[in-house]
């Protein structure tokens, strides 16, 4: 079982802790502060643990030619990619306002720092943890600087290989032991055959001392619920108020009713995971009392008879007697009273009976 880390003040993840659910607002707020606040409240009302955004200092994330590239997509908010991204980027003061709002609502607030300067700002903002987006997971100088800040880290692994993730682990672990990996495939929307949930198991084996989670871009909630059943301790899903809005992420996002259903399903699955100890449960006692079977005499057995298998049968008996698994242990034992045909065989009817463990 993975080691626990304190991801947010008073909120631990890993081990037997409940899954930490991140509502990834990203830039689905359309560049509108009021919509962003509505989405924070929606995340809280649906039961998510954290509302997350994406923060970039554009000149540090993109070079000049990338910002100047014409952007004629149906999702564009400007003539160039730079204009598009500037429309969607909140200022430092707007981030402070959103953080204050999240505190009022009562939900954890953070963002992916999409470049080193964005991480500097988020550190100054005092976010509870840093999210490392898949695009920066193989950005080793960025990882080093981020890890040295000392805040917990959630690191997505889209577009990466296992060998890269092993390098990421070896870089981050000595600097900052409080981090986790998320299995992720960077496609929007993500098709089921491209999800590869078994990577969660591979990560659990390769990195047993950190929590493992899942960041999903698929449609619907079934795959994310399955990830939690496989042991994902952090779950991140993009959210939106309307999938038909302009923007490439909306289609791979959950609307409020879906997010609420996801949270409910995750909490149900967590309750269902229960204990690895297999035993008769208290809730099964009524069924066992009504339908549980016992060893019964197949024929009349006179006192003094040595029991053989052909004298015994298993039925629902009244009263209860030896359970079915004891039938082979009874062979060779002596009846110390007369036992009528079809009568339950009880401990009082057999000489010095000692139950033997079956292997």
């Amino acid at each position: 079982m993975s080691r626990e880390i304190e991801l947010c003040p008073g909120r631990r993840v890993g081990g037997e802790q409940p899954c930490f659910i991140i509502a990834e607002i990203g830039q689905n707020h359309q560049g509108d502060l009021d919509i962003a606040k509505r989405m924070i409240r929606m995340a809280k009302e649906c039961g998510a643990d954290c509302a997350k955004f994406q923060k970039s200092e554009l000149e540090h994330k993109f070079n000049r030619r990338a910002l100047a590239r014409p952007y004629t997509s149906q999702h564009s908010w400007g003539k160039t990619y730079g204009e598009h991204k500037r429309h969607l980027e909140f200022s430092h003061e707007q981030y402070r306002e959103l953080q204050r709002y999240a505190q009022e609502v009562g939900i954890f607030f953070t963002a992916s720092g999409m470049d080193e300067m964005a991480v500097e700002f988020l550190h100054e903002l005092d976010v509870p943890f840093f999210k490392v987006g898949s695009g920066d997971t193989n950005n080793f100088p960025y990882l080093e600087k981020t890890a040295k800040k000392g805040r917990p880290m959630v690191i997505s692994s889209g577009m990466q290989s296992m060998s890269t993730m092993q390098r990421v682990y070896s870089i981050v672990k000595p600097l900052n032991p409080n981090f986790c990996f998320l299995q992720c495939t960077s496609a929007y929307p993500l098709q089921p055959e491209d999800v590869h949930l078994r990577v969660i198991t591979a990560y659990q084996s390769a990195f047993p001392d950190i929590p493992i989670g899942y960041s999903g871009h698929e449609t619907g909630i079934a795959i994310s619920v399955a990830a939690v059943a496989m042991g994902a301790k952090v779950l991140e899903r993009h959210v939106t108020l309307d999938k038909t809005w302009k923007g490439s992420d909306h289609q791979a996002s959950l609307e409020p009713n879906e997010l609420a259903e996801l949270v409910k399903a995750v909490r149900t699955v967590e309750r269902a995971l229960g204990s690895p100890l297999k035993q008769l449960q208290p809730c099964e006692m009524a069924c066992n009392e009504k339908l549980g079977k016992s060893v019964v005499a197949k024929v009349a057995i006179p006192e003094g008879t040595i029991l053989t298998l052909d004298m015994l049968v298993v039925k629902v008996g009244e009263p209860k007697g030896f359970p079915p698994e004891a039938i082979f242990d009874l062979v060779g034992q002596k009846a110390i009273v007369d036992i009528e045909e079809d009568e339950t065989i009880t401990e009082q009817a057999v000489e010095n009976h000692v139950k033997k463990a079956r292997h």
Side-chain angles (χ1 to χ4, degrees):
M1 184 60 71
S2 67
R3 185 178 70 87
E4 289 184 20
I5 66 172
E6 187 173 51
L7 190 60
C8 296
R11 181 61 162 88
R12 301 182 70 79
V13 302
E16 297 297 328
Q17 299 294 330
C19 181
F20 186 86
I21 300 175
I22 300 172
E24 162 69 297
I25 295 169
Q27 296 193 317
N28 281 353
H29 48 67
Q30 313 300 82
D32 185 313
L33 198 67
D34 288 333
I35 290 176
K37 288 180 178 179
R38 284 170 56 198
M39 295 183 78
I40 290 171
R41 180 169 289 279
M42 178 270 287
K44 171 65 176 179
E45 290 174 348
C46 291
D49 295 292
C50 179
K52 189 183 83 65
F53 290 78
Q54 295 173 4
K55 183 72 185 96
S56 300
E57 303 294 347
L58 296 178
E59 283 71 24
H60 293 271
K61 182 179 179 183
F62 301 98
N63 70 6
R64 287 189 293 274
R65 289 185 66 176
L67 290 171
R69 174 167 55 87
Y71 193 49
T72 56
S73 162
Q74 61 179 344
H75 301 304
S76 173
W77 294 94
K79 294 179 181 178
T80 65
Y81 199 62
E83 287 181 10
H84 166 76
K85 296 301 285 186
R86 285 186 189 94
H87 172 82
L88 293 172
E89 197 64 47
F90 289 137
S91 69
H92 288 193
E93 186 48 48
Q94 287 174 315
Y95 259 85
R96 292 187 182 94
E97 186 174 341
L98 290 174
Q99 184 185 50
R100 286 192 295 268
Y101 185 75
Q103 288 170 343
E104 290 173 17
V105 168
I107 190 170
F108 292 116
F109 173 91
T110 194
S112 298
M114 309 297 277
D115 54 79
E116 290 181 15
M117 291 307 294
V119 171
E120 292 293 334
F121 166 66
L122 293 172
H123 186 55
E124 175 193 323
L125 199 63
D126 198 25
V127 296
F129 67 92
F130 292 129
K131 171 66 199 301
V132 178
S134 294
D136 280 306
T137 297
N138 58 352
N139 182 349
F140 298 147
Y142 166 101
L143 281 180
E144 283 190 351
K145 290 179 182 177
T146 303
K148 286 176 180 176
K149 299 292 185 188
R151 298 182 188 277
M153 299 167 67
V154 175
I155 304 172
S156 278
S157 61
M159 303 179 285
Q160 311 304 330
S161 65
M162 179 60 92
S163 61
T164 297
M165 296 312 295
Q166 287 167 333
R167 288 190 66 187
V168 170
Y169 177 91
S170 66
I171 289 169
V172 175
K173 183 71 175 180
L175 300 172
N176 185 347
N178 295 316
F179 68 101
C180 62
F181 287 163
L182 307 186
Q183 161 57 358
C184 177
T185 303
S186 299
Y188 305 81
L190 176 61
Q191 298 304 309
E193 58 269 24
D194 295 323
V195 172
H196 302 297
L197 286 181
R198 287 193 175 99
V199 174
I200 293 173
T201 307
Y203 282 167
Q204 289 166 336
S205 297
F207 314 110
D209 58 345
I210 63 171
I212 302 300
Y214 174 69
S215 178
H217 304 130
E218 72 277 2
T219 56
I221 69 170
I223 289 168
S224 291
V225 174
V228 174
M230 292 180 70
K233 293 301 179 180
V234 175
L235 175 62
E236 178 184 72
R237 287 297 304 269
H238 286 253
V239 298
T240 182
L241 295 179
D242 188 338
K243 289 183 186 182
T244 66
W245 279 355
K246 184 166 74 173
S248 56
D249 282 355
H250 291 287
Q251 194 178 349
S253 300
L254 299 176
E255 290 183 340
N257 62 321
E258 293 175 300
L259 178 60
E261 186 61 29
L262 173 63
V263 173
K264 180 181 176 184
V266 165
R267 300 307 177 213
T268 299
V269 164
E270 287 178 327
R271 282 163 48 211
L273 285 171
S275 165
L277 182 62
K278 183 58 183 171
Q279 61 184 356
L280 179 66
Q281 298 293 320
C283 65
E284 295 178 300
M285 294 301 291
C287 184
N288 186 60
E289 191 62 33
K290 182 179 180 182
L291 298 177
K293 294 186 176 182
S294 299
V295 180
V296 170
K298 192 173 182 181
V299 295
I301 304 172
E303 178 185 349
T305 302
I306 302 300
L307 301 180
T308 59
L309 191 59
D310 59 3
M311 298 175 185
L312 308 175
V313 70
V314 172
K315 294 185 178 183
V316 175
E318 182 62 40
K320 294 288 183 193
F322 285 101
E325 64 265 27
I327 192 168
F328 295 121
D329 300 336
L330 287 169
V331 173
Q333 302 295 313
K334 183 191 290 186
I336 58 175
V337 296
D338 290 335
I339 306 171
E340 295 180 14
E341 179 190 348
D342 208 40
E343 185 179 339
T344 303
I345 297 178
T346 64
E347 291 192 25
Q348 292 75 27
V350 180
E351 183 178 62
N352 299 325
H353 181 77
V354 178
K355 294 179 183 176
K356 302 172 187 172
R358 293 291 308 281
H359 297 287

